[in-house]
Amino acid sequence: MKKIWLTLMFSVLVVIGVACSNSEDSMKGHDMSNMNKEDMNDHDTSNMNIDKGEESKKEKLPSTQETQIKTGKEFTLTAKEATHDFGNGTKLPVWTYDGSVPGSQIRVKQGDKVKVNLKNELSEPVTIHWHGLPVPNSQDGVPGVTMNAVQLGKTFTYEFIASVPGTYWYHSHQDSVNQIDKGLYGTLIVERKDEEKVDKDYTLVLDEWISSGKSSMESMNHSSMGSKEDKKASDNSAHSMDGMNMEEDMSMYDLYTINGKSAKNMETLKVKEGDTVKLRLVNAGYISHKIHLHGYDFKIVSTDGQPVNDPAIIKDQTVTVAPGERYDLVFKANNPGTSYIESHDDTDAAKNMVAKIVYDNSKKTNDKLNPKASLPNIDITKYGKTTNSEFSLDTKFDVDYKMNLGTAMKDHSMVYTINNRTYPNTEPLDVKQGDLVKVTLKSTSKSANHPMHLHGHFFQVLSKNGKPIEGSPLMKDTLNVKPSEEYVVAFKADNPGNWMFHCHDLHHASAGMVTEVKYKGYKASFTPDLNANNKPE
């Protein structure tokens, strides 16, 4: 009997082995990399437990906390996972700095020597880029360009002088299109030595989310943006699509937030009658938002942290905040009751991008939401009054660079180009220290906006569509170039290094719209590590 039993067992094992081998061979014979969503939907995934796994992950992760305000000169920011409640019934796993969305606000004084320890408790490498603040190149936080990405369990210390006051923000620059989407950002405020006193100072971070919890790259199929004829015609080279209207579908972003809050859980700003109130608007997302401050006269006192000369009073007009931009507004609290700050974007999701101003000891509700109302929009190139500035169109420049921002098809996918090339094959902007540099930014795209961001420098906007800027000298680090628009900007090469110049709709950056400003003779102080999995876009 024992011998018969052993023989039977051996036979069963042989059958199982053959079945497994055939199964393995059949999988090897099929390339799964090109399977699209439709293919996946034809398969029974009921046993894959994807949703159960996500639910289990949410339950295990700690909940996010309220955003901290950190002051001083030395800080520790910990990158870690959490579950965030958006206030409209949606809870999602997020990536955070310090367990909050947005991450901790860092507030320092102009001239402070700042030290920030980044501790990585995430499953992937991360960095911090100090968006808008000029820092030494080695502290700029671009993996593979200025440093190696910070690995799991490791700590990296950033050190810089907070030299230029203003409203800034920080975010990961490692695989940034996905990591920022997951919540890896916070704000940085540099207070000037002679800071004008206000009674209330609020920061409002604008963002969009995908309520399914998928990443934007999972949800956005660039290849679907062209027609079938476009795809048929494409090959391994980039075919220009500049003559076509290729509308981008950003509808997967169906959850808009201010400070991570949406709908009934909206951010509440408490004031007293007579208060002078500053609102710092920061766009951490990939969509421009038209923001309306209800019921108040206000001024735009700075953009991208840089002051506006003699700002005029505004009322019942919207301020468009493009990805990466910041606008500081100041108003007097002279309208007791509840009033709203809301987005007037042309999308249903905009109705949840709202905050409310509430007065102490007042229960009046004298305001109503009206996100569909059509209001005039401020043209920042005509705002404020002209005065002396560092550059003009008549300045003798050392470098003159033309940057055509376009769209193309390559390998059946949408790419975004600078002078018909994609990063890392874009032509760099070569400068030497002290050069005066002129850049012409021209969009040949028919539908896409390109908020172009220069690292390490501010630039002055000199003209728009061939006409000189009429208002205050306009100093920025991020400029939204809309379809068919052309801007001339100028900066001084006064911060040696290798600096990125890229679109801050990071879908466009990840699909090629990146170049670098490279200083002649500069040598980076780090050695790129092939094992660091550096992803700078």
Side-chain angles (χ1 to χ4, degrees), residues 112-150:
D112 281 354
K113 184 175 182 179
V114 180
K115 182 183 288 189
V116 182
N117 306 302
L118 169 60
K119 184 179 180 183
N120 184 12
E121 293 182 358
L122 291 168
S123 57
E124 293 182 16
V126 296
T127 67
I128 292 178
H129 165 59
W130 311 99
H131 184 114
L133 182 67
V135 298
N137 191 241
S138 62
Q139 307 301 299
D140 196 45
V142 181
V145 177
T146 70
M147 64 178 292
N148 289 307
V150 182

mmCIF file of all heavy atoms in Angstrom, residues 112-150:
data_model
loop_
_atom_site.group_PDB
_atom_site.id
_atom_site.type_symbol
_atom_site.label_atom_id
_atom_site.label_comp_id
_atom_site.label_asym_id
_atom_site.label_seq_id
_atom_site.Cartn_x
_atom_site.Cartn_y
_atom_site.Cartn_z
ATOM 1 N N ASP A 112 18.099 84.548 7.483
ATOM 2 C CA ASP A 112 18.361 83.375 8.323
ATOM 3 C C ASP A 112 19.143 82.318 7.547
ATOM 4 O O ASP A 112 18.888 82.076 6.355
ATOM 5 C CB ASP A 112 17.049 82.734 8.791
ATOM 6 C CG ASP A 112 16.404 83.471 9.952
ATOM 7 O OD1 ASP A 112 17.035 84.415 10.481
ATOM 8 O OD2 ASP A 112 15.271 83.111 10.333
ATOM 9 N N LYS A 113 20.080 81.674 8.251
ATOM 10 C CA LYS A 113 20.713 80.470 7.715
ATOM 11 C C LYS A 113 19.826 79.299 8.113
ATOM 12 O O LYS A 113 19.679 79.002 9.299
ATOM 13 C CB LYS A 113 22.128 80.294 8.255
ATOM 14 C CG LYS A 113 22.841 79.100 7.634
ATOM 15 C CD LYS A 113 24.293 79.000 8.077
ATOM 16 C CE LYS A 113 24.971 77.820 7.386
ATOM 17 N NZ LYS A 113 26.403 77.696 7.786
ATOM 18 N N VAL A 114 19.218 78.664 7.128
ATOM 19 C CA VAL A 114 18.188 77.654 7.378
ATOM 20 C C VAL A 114 18.760 76.262 7.148
ATOM 21 O O VAL A 114 19.508 76.024 6.188
ATOM 22 C CB VAL A 114 16.979 77.887 6.435
ATOM 23 C CG1 VAL A 114 15.893 76.843 6.678
ATOM 24 C CG2 VAL A 114 16.429 79.294 6.628
ATOM 25 N N LYS A 115 18.390 75.350 8.043
ATOM 26 C CA LYS A 115 18.794 73.953 7.918
ATOM 27 C C LYS A 115 17.538 73.094 7.975
ATOM 28 O O LYS A 115 16.748 73.210 8.916
ATOM 29 C CB LYS A 115 19.760 73.571 9.050
ATOM 30 C CG LYS A 115 20.283 72.136 8.970
ATOM 31 C CD LYS A 115 21.183 71.802 10.155
ATOM 32 C CE LYS A 115 22.522 72.508 10.051
ATOM 33 N NZ LYS A 115 23.475 72.017 11.086
ATOM 34 N N VAL A 116 17.330 72.251 6.963
ATOM 35 C CA VAL A 116 16.156 71.380 6.919
ATOM 36 C C VAL A 116 16.609 69.938 6.723
ATOM 37 O O VAL A 116 17.272 69.619 5.722
ATOM 38 C CB VAL A 116 15.187 71.765 5.780
ATOM 39 C CG1 VAL A 116 13.951 70.864 5.812
ATOM 40 C CG2 VAL A 116 14.773 73.228 5.890
ATOM 41 N N ASN A 117 16.275 69.089 7.680
ATOM 42 C CA ASN A 117 16.598 67.671 7.597
ATOM 43 C C ASN A 117 15.412 66.925 6.981
ATOM 44 O O ASN A 117 14.324 66.910 7.552
ATOM 45 C CB ASN A 117 16.887 67.103 8.990
ATOM 46 C CG ASN A 117 17.948 67.894 9.725
ATOM 47 O OD1 ASN A 117 19.074 68.031 9.246
ATOM 48 N ND2 ASN A 117 17.597 68.442 10.881
ATOM 49 N N LEU A 118 15.621 66.339 5.806
ATOM 50 C CA LEU A 118 14.582 65.542 5.167
ATOM 51 C C LEU A 118 14.797 64.077 5.530
ATOM 52 O O LEU A 118 15.807 63.476 5.172
ATOM 53 C CB LEU A 118 14.618 65.714 3.649
ATOM 54 C CG LEU A 118 13.762 64.728 2.845
ATOM 55 C CD1 LEU A 118 12.288 64.839 3.216
ATOM 56 C CD2 LEU A 118 13.970 64.932 1.350
ATOM 57 N N LYS A 119 13.822 63.502 6.222
ATOM 58 C CA LYS A 119 13.870 62.094 6.613
ATOM 59 C C LYS A 119 12.860 61.327 5.764
ATOM 60 O O LYS A 119 11.679 61.676 5.729
ATOM 61 C CB LYS A 119 13.533 61.958 8.105
ATOM 62 C CG LYS A 119 13.646 60.545 8.648
ATOM 63 C CD LYS A 119 13.322 60.527 10.136
ATOM 64 C CE LYS A 119 13.427 59.108 10.693
ATOM 65 N NZ LYS A 119 13.038 59.072 12.128
ATOM 66 N N ASN A 120 13.317 60.297 5.088
ATOM 67 C CA ASN A 120 12.444 59.561 4.166
ATOM 68 C C ASN A 120 11.945 58.254 4.794
ATOM 69 O O ASN A 120 12.711 57.320 4.999
ATOM 70 C CB ASN A 120 13.176 59.251 2.860
ATOM 71 C CG ASN A 120 12.264 58.585 1.845
ATOM 72 O OD1 ASN A 120 11.046 58.549 2.012
ATOM 73 N ND2 ASN A 120 12.849 58.047 0.781
ATOM 74 N N GLU A 121 10.633 58.210 5.057
ATOM 75 C CA GLU A 121 9.994 56.980 5.549
ATOM 76 C C GLU A 121 9.024 56.404 4.507
ATOM 77 O O GLU A 121 8.161 55.599 4.838
ATOM 78 C CB GLU A 121 9.251 57.272 6.860
ATOM 79 C CG GLU A 121 10.176 57.622 8.010
ATOM 80 C CD GLU A 121 9.439 57.856 9.322
ATOM 81 O OE1 GLU A 121 8.182 57.790 9.333
ATOM 82 O OE2 GLU A 121 10.116 58.105 10.342
ATOM 83 N N LEU A 122 9.196 56.821 3.259
ATOM 84 C CA LEU A 122 8.355 56.310 2.184
ATOM 85 C C LEU A 122 9.006 55.108 1.509
ATOM 86 O O LEU A 122 10.177 54.795 1.749
ATOM 87 C CB LEU A 122 8.101 57.411 1.147
ATOM 88 C CG LEU A 122 7.226 58.571 1.606
ATOM 89 C CD1 LEU A 122 7.287 59.710 0.602
ATOM 90 C CD2 LEU A 122 5.785 58.116 1.798
ATOM 91 N N SER A 123 8.265 54.467 0.620
ATOM 92 C CA SER A 123 8.762 53.275 -0.068
ATOM 93 C C SER A 123 9.593 53.621 -1.297
ATOM 94 O O SER A 123 10.164 52.733 -1.927
ATOM 95 C CB SER A 123 7.577 52.394 -0.486
ATOM 96 O OG SER A 123 6.681 53.133 -1.308
ATOM 97 N N GLU A 124 9.638 54.907 -1.662
ATOM 98 C CA GLU A 124 10.397 55.343 -2.832
ATOM 99 C C GLU A 124 11.322 56.501 -2.468
ATOM 100 O O GLU A 124 11.087 57.198 -1.483
ATOM 101 C CB GLU A 124 9.440 55.801 -3.950
ATOM 102 C CG GLU A 124 8.603 54.681 -4.544
ATOM 103 C CD GLU A 124 7.725 55.177 -5.679
ATOM 104 O OE1 GLU A 124 7.992 56.296 -6.193
ATOM 105 O OE2 GLU A 124 6.777 54.469 -6.044
ATOM 106 N N PRO A 125 12.360 56.733 -3.276
ATOM 107 C CA PRO A 125 13.238 57.889 -3.034
ATOM 108 C C PRO A 125 12.463 59.192 -3.178
ATOM 109 O O PRO A 125 11.493 59.276 -3.945
ATOM 110 C CB PRO A 125 14.305 57.761 -4.128
ATOM 111 C CG PRO A 125 14.219 56.357 -4.618
ATOM 112 C CD PRO A 125 12.809 55.933 -4.429
ATOM 113 N N VAL A 126 12.885 60.231 -2.450
ATOM 114 C CA VAL A 126 12.256 61.552 -2.517
ATOM 115 C C VAL A 126 13.329 62.630 -2.463
ATOM 116 O O VAL A 126 14.495 62.356 -2.179
ATOM 117 C CB VAL A 126 11.244 61.783 -1.364
ATOM 118 C CG1 VAL A 126 10.080 60.826 -1.453
ATOM 119 C CG2 VAL A 126 11.929 61.686 -0.011
ATOM 120 N N THR A 127 12.901 63.875 -2.707
ATOM 121 C CA THR A 127 13.759 65.041 -2.498
ATOM 122 C C THR A 127 12.869 66.195 -2.048
ATOM 123 O O THR A 127 11.651 66.050 -1.937
ATOM 124 C CB THR A 127 14.498 65.493 -3.782
ATOM 125 O OG1 THR A 127 13.529 65.984 -4.722
ATOM 126 C CG2 THR A 127 15.306 64.374 -4.401
ATOM 127 N N ILE A 128 13.490 67.355 -1.823
ATOM 128 C CA ILE A 128 12.752 68.612 -1.661
ATOM 129 C C ILE A 128 13.375 69.647 -2.591
ATOM 130 O O ILE A 128 14.585 69.873 -2.577
ATOM 131 C CB ILE A 128 12.798 69.146 -0.217
ATOM 132 C CG1 ILE A 128 12.019 68.227 0.731
ATOM 133 C CG2 ILE A 128 12.198 70.558 -0.157
ATOM 134 C CD1 ILE A 128 12.069 68.667 2.182
ATOM 135 N N HIS A 129 12.518 70.264 -3.407
ATOM 136 C CA HIS A 129 12.901 71.426 -4.209
ATOM 137 C C HIS A 129 12.236 72.650 -3.602
ATOM 138 O O HIS A 129 11.039 72.634 -3.310
ATOM 139 C CB HIS A 129 12.440 71.236 -5.662
ATOM 140 C CG HIS A 129 12.464 72.507 -6.460
ATOM 141 N ND1 HIS A 129 13.622 73.241 -6.658
ATOM 142 C CD2 HIS A 129 11.472 73.191 -7.097
ATOM 143 C CE1 HIS A 129 13.336 74.306 -7.392
ATOM 144 N NE2 HIS A 129 12.043 74.308 -7.660
ATOM 145 N N TRP A 130 12.999 73.722 -3.415
ATOM 146 C CA TRP A 130 12.497 74.952 -2.796
ATOM 147 C C TRP A 130 12.028 75.873 -3.916
ATOM 148 O O TRP A 130 12.779 76.701 -4.424
ATOM 149 C CB TRP A 130 13.593 75.581 -1.930
ATOM 150 C CG TRP A 130 14.204 74.565 -1.031
ATOM 151 C CD1 TRP A 130 15.370 73.876 -1.212
ATOM 152 C CD2 TRP A 130 13.636 74.060 0.182
ATOM 153 N NE1 TRP A 130 15.572 72.990 -0.188
ATOM 154 C CE2 TRP A 130 14.525 73.073 0.683
ATOM 155 C CE3 TRP A 130 12.467 74.341 0.901
ATOM 156 C CZ2 TRP A 130 14.278 72.372 1.866
ATOM 157 C CZ3 TRP A 130 12.220 73.647 2.073
ATOM 158 C CH2 TRP A 130 13.113 72.683 2.544
ATOM 159 N N HIS A 131 10.776 75.726 -4.297
ATOM 160 C CA HIS A 131 10.241 76.345 -5.506
ATOM 161 C C HIS A 131 10.206 77.870 -5.386
ATOM 162 O O HIS A 131 9.478 78.423 -4.574
ATOM 163 C CB HIS A 131 8.831 75.802 -5.766
ATOM 164 C CG HIS A 131 8.206 76.285 -7.033
ATOM 165 N ND1 HIS A 131 7.914 75.447 -8.089
ATOM 166 C CD2 HIS A 131 7.811 77.520 -7.438
ATOM 167 C CE1 HIS A 131 7.362 76.147 -9.057
ATOM 168 N NE2 HIS A 131 7.292 77.404 -8.694
ATOM 169 N N GLY A 132 10.999 78.526 -6.232
ATOM 170 C CA GLY A 132 11.020 79.989 -6.299
ATOM 171 C C GLY A 132 12.126 80.636 -5.495
ATOM 172 O O GLY A 132 12.574 81.732 -5.837
ATOM 173 N N LEU A 133 12.585 79.998 -4.433
ATOM 174 C CA LEU A 133 13.610 80.607 -3.581
ATOM 175 C C LEU A 133 14.990 80.320 -4.154
ATOM 176 O O LEU A 133 15.361 79.153 -4.335
ATOM 177 C CB LEU A 133 13.518 80.052 -2.157
ATOM 178 C CG LEU A 133 14.510 80.644 -1.157
ATOM 179 C CD1 LEU A 133 14.194 82.116 -0.891
ATOM 180 C CD2 LEU A 133 14.490 79.872 0.162
ATOM 181 N N PRO A 134 15.775 81.358 -4.445
ATOM 182 C CA PRO A 134 17.135 81.111 -4.934
ATOM 183 C C PRO A 134 17.996 80.487 -3.826
ATOM 184 O O PRO A 134 18.175 81.093 -2.767
ATOM 185 C CB PRO A 134 17.645 82.513 -5.309
ATOM 186 C CG PRO A 134 16.425 83.369 -5.399
ATOM 187 C CD PRO A 134 15.453 82.797 -4.422
ATOM 188 N N VAL A 135 18.471 79.288 -4.062
ATOM 189 C CA VAL A 135 19.341 78.582 -3.116
ATOM 190 C C VAL A 135 20.590 78.147 -3.887
ATOM 191 O O VAL A 135 20.602 78.172 -5.118
ATOM 192 C CB VAL A 135 18.637 77.350 -2.503
ATOM 193 C CG1 VAL A 135 17.408 77.766 -1.701
ATOM 194 C CG2 VAL A 135 18.245 76.323 -3.571
ATOM 195 N N PRO A 136 21.667 77.745 -3.196
ATOM 196 C CA PRO A 136 22.821 77.194 -3.923
ATOM 197 C C PRO A 136 22.389 75.980 -4.743
ATOM 198 O O PRO A 136 21.503 75.223 -4.344
ATOM 199 C CB PRO A 136 23.777 76.800 -2.797
ATOM 200 C CG PRO A 136 23.385 77.653 -1.633
ATOM 201 C CD PRO A 136 21.900 77.820 -1.744
ATOM 202 N N ASN A 137 23.033 75.785 -5.884
ATOM 203 C CA ASN A 137 22.613 74.717 -6.791
ATOM 204 C C ASN A 137 22.598 73.346 -6.116
ATOM 205 O O ASN A 137 21.704 72.525 -6.384
ATOM 206 C CB ASN A 137 23.541 74.698 -8.012
ATOM 207 C CG ASN A 137 23.029 73.806 -9.121
ATOM 208 O OD1 ASN A 137 23.678 72.846 -9.511
ATOM 209 N ND2 ASN A 137 21.850 74.114 -9.647
ATOM 210 N N SER A 138 23.530 73.114 -5.224
ATOM 211 C CA SER A 138 23.611 71.803 -4.553
ATOM 212 C C SER A 138 22.430 71.546 -3.634
ATOM 213 O O SER A 138 22.189 70.409 -3.217
ATOM 214 C CB SER A 138 24.908 71.712 -3.744
ATOM 215 O OG SER A 138 24.927 72.711 -2.722
ATOM 216 N N GLN A 139 21.655 72.592 -3.319
ATOM 217 C CA GLN A 139 20.521 72.464 -2.398
ATOM 218 C C GLN A 139 19.171 72.529 -3.134
ATOM 219 O O GLN A 139 18.118 72.610 -2.500
ATOM 220 C CB GLN A 139 20.570 73.575 -1.342
ATOM 221 C CG GLN A 139 21.898 73.676 -0.615
ATOM 222 C CD GLN A 139 22.265 72.383 0.102
ATOM 223 O OE1 GLN A 139 21.543 71.927 0.981
ATOM 224 N NE2 GLN A 139 23.390 71.783 -0.288
ATOM 225 N N ASP A 140 19.197 72.471 -4.457
ATOM 226 C CA ASP A 140 17.984 72.693 -5.247
ATOM 227 C C ASP A 140 17.060 71.476 -5.303
ATOM 228 O O ASP A 140 15.904 71.594 -5.689
ATOM 229 C CB ASP A 140 18.353 73.122 -6.669
ATOM 230 C CG ASP A 140 17.188 73.726 -7.431
ATOM 231 O OD1 ASP A 140 16.465 74.556 -6.845
ATOM 232 O OD2 ASP A 140 16.989 73.358 -8.600
ATOM 233 N N GLY A 141 17.570 70.307 -4.962
ATOM 234 C CA GLY A 141 16.704 69.146 -4.801
ATOM 235 C C GLY A 141 16.238 68.469 -6.063
ATOM 236 O O GLY A 141 15.165 67.852 -6.073
ATOM 237 N N VAL A 142 17.034 68.544 -7.148
ATOM 238 C CA VAL A 142 16.650 67.868 -8.389
ATOM 239 C C VAL A 142 17.507 66.608 -8.542
ATOM 240 O O VAL A 142 18.710 66.703 -8.789
ATOM 241 C CB VAL A 142 16.822 68.794 -9.606
ATOM 242 C CG1 VAL A 142 16.397 68.072 -10.885
ATOM 243 C CG2 VAL A 142 16.008 70.067 -9.416
ATOM 244 N N PRO A 143 16.913 65.432 -8.410
ATOM 245 C CA PRO A 143 17.701 64.190 -8.427
ATOM 246 C C PRO A 143 18.374 63.961 -9.775
ATOM 247 O O PRO A 143 17.758 64.144 -10.825
ATOM 248 C CB PRO A 143 16.649 63.108 -8.133
ATOM 249 C CG PRO A 143 15.341 63.714 -8.526
ATOM 250 C CD PRO A 143 15.474 65.180 -8.250
ATOM 251 N N GLY A 144 19.641 63.612 -9.727
ATOM 252 C CA GLY A 144 20.398 63.373 -10.947
ATOM 253 C C GLY A 144 20.976 64.626 -11.560
ATOM 254 O O GLY A 144 21.830 64.544 -12.452
ATOM 255 N N VAL A 145 20.524 65.803 -11.106
ATOM 256 C CA VAL A 145 21.027 67.078 -11.622
ATOM 257 C C VAL A 145 21.801 67.825 -10.547
ATOM 258 O O VAL A 145 22.900 68.335 -10.797
ATOM 259 C CB VAL A 145 19.871 67.955 -12.159
ATOM 260 C CG1 VAL A 145 20.397 69.311 -12.633
ATOM 261 C CG2 VAL A 145 19.151 67.238 -13.299
ATOM 262 N N THR A 146 21.241 67.894 -9.323
ATOM 263 C CA THR A 146 21.917 68.608 -8.229
ATOM 264 C C THR A 146 22.226 67.709 -7.035
ATOM 265 O O THR A 146 22.953 68.111 -6.135
ATOM 266 C CB THR A 146 21.063 69.790 -7.734
ATOM 267 O OG1 THR A 146 19.905 69.293 -7.052
ATOM 268 C CG2 THR A 146 20.618 70.682 -8.889
ATOM 269 N N MET A 147 21.649 66.501 -6.993
ATOM 270 C CA MET A 147 21.848 65.592 -5.862
ATOM 271 C C MET A 147 21.333 64.211 -6.260
ATOM 272 O O MET A 147 20.696 64.054 -7.304
ATOM 273 C CB MET A 147 21.077 66.080 -4.625
ATOM 274 C CG MET A 147 19.562 66.080 -4.818
ATOM 275 S SD MET A 147 18.627 66.594 -3.334
ATOM 276 C CE MET A 147 18.947 65.207 -2.228
ATOM 277 N N ASN A 148 21.612 63.224 -5.415
ATOM 278 C CA ASN A 148 20.973 61.924 -5.556
ATOM 279 C C ASN A 148 19.722 61.885 -4.697
ATOM 280 O O ASN A 148 19.679 62.472 -3.611
ATOM 281 C CB ASN A 148 21.927 60.803 -5.128
ATOM 282 C CG ASN A 148 23.061 60.610 -6.109
ATOM 283 O OD1 ASN A 148 22.839 60.436 -7.306
ATOM 284 N ND2 ASN A 148 24.295 60.662 -5.617
ATOM 285 N N ALA A 149 18.702 61.226 -5.184
ATOM 286 C CA ALA A 149 17.453 61.132 -4.434
ATOM 287 C C ALA A 149 17.695 60.465 -3.082
ATOM 288 O O ALA A 149 18.561 59.593 -2.940
ATOM 289 C CB ALA A 149 16.419 60.343 -5.229
ATOM 290 N N VAL A 150 16.929 60.892 -2.081
ATOM 291 C CA VAL A 150 17.080 60.393 -0.708
ATOM 292 C C VAL A 150 16.348 59.058 -0.592
ATOM 293 O O VAL A 150 15.138 58.979 -0.830
ATOM 294 C CB VAL A 150 16.520 61.410 0.306
ATOM 295 C CG1 VAL A 150 16.722 60.909 1.730
ATOM 296 C CG2 VAL A 150 17.183 62.775 0.108
#
